[in-house]
Amino acid sequence: MKLATFTEGGRTRIGVIEDARIADVSAVDPTFPTDMTMFLKQGAAGRKALDKALASAPRRPLSEVRLEAPVPRPGKFLAVGLNYADHIKEIGAKTPEFPSTFAKMSTCINGPYDPVHRPRVSDSLDYEGELGLVIGRRCRHVPKQRALEVVAGYVVVNDLTVRDWVNLTPQVVVPKSFDTHGPFGPWMTTADAVPDPQALSVRTTVNGEVRQNSSTAEMTFTCADLIALLSQAVTLEPGDVITTGTPPGVGEGFTPKRYLQPGDVVRVEIDGLGHIENRVIAEPDGTAFIDN
């Protein structure tokens, strides 16, 4: 099943993708959650209500709605760096013995087809196509052999990075968290529809040119490894997102470097999960503000 968050008629809610249409389940059941995190917190009861509403839900063409990030504001947006051997080699880093984990701020989240900003303070914006997973069950100290049980579904992520800011600080939270630099989606493919998350091809193109072409089989630390590790430190909750690292082919790895420019179109595609596609624009005027 493909669960999406969408906006239509000024209202944002949850729907189910069926080919080129979306089933508007809240039109049948007005008590149905309009927020993905709230839906995931309902667990089996929420899925039962969804299945019931789906039978008679009106279908709308996808062309008539706007797809949002499936979880517009997760409680935690966790990420992993240096998780593909060839990517480690291309940027001249050392292979970590322990996963290189960090967080992206939730204000960076962006829709799957929305524009991303090249910041006015940098000209070194880079792409990183990745597999992301969405947590569906509250958990802590999850053993590796049970780790995939807590996954609600999988998403496509572009973990955009401002490379020169990476060199300004010993941590990468800020260089990874610029506004608009966390697009993901286009929907959440439920875990029961993904038999093996370590057998998915990941492909990134820029203006149609293939830059990244790899498989999640090449990860150093698997999805299960990462869940088991992170849950030792923090309680994972429904709606939390974990993005799992990028394969080789990033702009930083070329000579000369091939950073994104305004007008570029970046597409990230993963087998069975769909694709996201974002046009790069110069950060627009009006982004400086102080609210009253």
Side-chain angles (χ1 to χ4, degrees), residues 138-200:
R138 191 169 183 268
C139 58
R140 180 88 195 277
H141 291 295
V142 181
K144 179 180 175 180
Q145 63 270 26
R146 296 195 61 191
L148 297 185
E149 295 178 27
V150 307
V151 178
Y154 298 90
V155 293
V156 183
V157 180
N158 189 350
D159 178 21
L160 290 151
T161 305
V162 180
R163 294 291 182 193
D164 57 351
W165 279 52
V166 170
N167 298 324
L168 296 177
T169 171
Q171 52 76 35
V172 297
V173 173
V174 172
K176 294 279 192 174
S177 295
F178 276 58
D179 283 4
T180 76
H181 289 184
F184 72 91
W187 41 71
M188 181 184 75
T189 302
T190 54
D192 56 2
V194 183
D196 184 359
Q198 303 307 144
L200 304 174

Side-chain angles (χ1 to χ4, degrees), residues 52-196:
K52 182 179 179 180
L54 187 58
S56 56
R59 272 63 173 172
R60 306 179 190 279
L62 274 178
S63 59
E64 295 181 1
V65 306
R66 171 178 170 164
L67 291 179
E68 312 286 355
V71 186
R73 191 59 69 90
K76 291 183 282 295
F77 191 3
L78 303 171
V80 180
L82 305 178
N83 203 22
Y84 287 76
D86 286 345
H87 172 56
I88 296 170
K89 182 179 178 180
E90 75 176 343
I91 63 172
K94 294 182 179 180
T95 300
E97 297 181 5
F98 188 85
S100 176
T101 57
F102 57 94
K104 290 172 74 78
M105 298 296 99
S106 61
T107 47
C108 80
I109 289 172
N110 201 2
Y113 304 120
D114 292 343
V116 298
H117 298 171
R118 190 182 78 166
R120 65 183 65 175
V121 296
S122 174
D123 60 2
S124 62
L125 178 63
D126 207 352
Y127 52 87
E128 295 190 10
E130 306 191 4
L131 170 68
L133 56 91
V134 181
I135 298 297
R137 299 168 63 181
R138 191 169 183 268
C139 58
R140 180 88 195 277
H141 291 295
V142 181
K144 179 180 175 180
Q145 63 270 26
R146 296 195 61 191
L148 297 185
E149 295 178 27
V150 307
V151 178
Y154 298 90
V155 293
V156 183
V157 180
N158 189 350
D159 178 21
L160 290 151
T161 305
V162 180
R163 294 291 182 193
D164 57 351
W165 279 52
V166 170
N167 298 324
L168 296 177
T169 171
Q171 52 76 35
V172 297
V173 173
V174 172
K176 294 279 192 174
S177 295
F178 276 58
D179 283 4
T180 76
H181 289 184
F184 72 91
W187 41 71
M188 181 184 75
T189 302
T190 54
D192 56 2
V194 183
D196 184 359

Side-chain angles (χ1 to χ4, degrees), residues 24-35:
D24 187 356
V25 291
S26 63
V28 176
D29 181 359
T31 68
F32 193 82
T34 57
D35 174 80

